[in-house]
Amino acid sequence: MTEIDLYALLLFLAGAALLYWGKRRAYLRMKALDRAPVPSYGAMLAAKLADGLLVVIGGSLLAAAAVML
């Protein structure tokens, strides 16, 4: 295994973890909305932005790993 393969594997793992984390956060928040109201509109927007960034960064890292290989 070369250094490039190792870096691609690390990028893939980091990307998959961020993608999973972002999707899971969004799912858990939607599940929680059934039980409790959103504290404020700004808090909801900030949370959606954070989830979106996690998903985009995770997808980008997965794509970078594929390009490296």
Side-chain angles (χ1 to χ4, degrees):
M1 179 181 274
T2 65
E3 284 184 37
I4 293 175
D5 293 339
L6 181 62
Y7 291 139
L9 178 64
L10 290 175
L11 282 175
F12 176 80
L13 292 175
L18 286 175
L19 197 62
Y20 173 78
W21 187 27
K23 296 282 187 174
R24 185 173 185 270
R25 274 178 42 110
Y27 170 75
L28 290 176
R29 188 173 318 96
M30 287 301 274
K31 190 175 171 184
L33 284 178
D34 292 339
R35 288 180 252 148
V38 179
S40 71
Y41 184 69
M44 182 185 68
L45 286 179
K48 282 190 173 197
L49 178 65
D51 293 339
L53 283 174
L54 285 173
V55 169
V56 167
I57 292 171
S60 299
L61 290 177
L62 287 175
V67 168
M68 286 180 72
L69 289 177

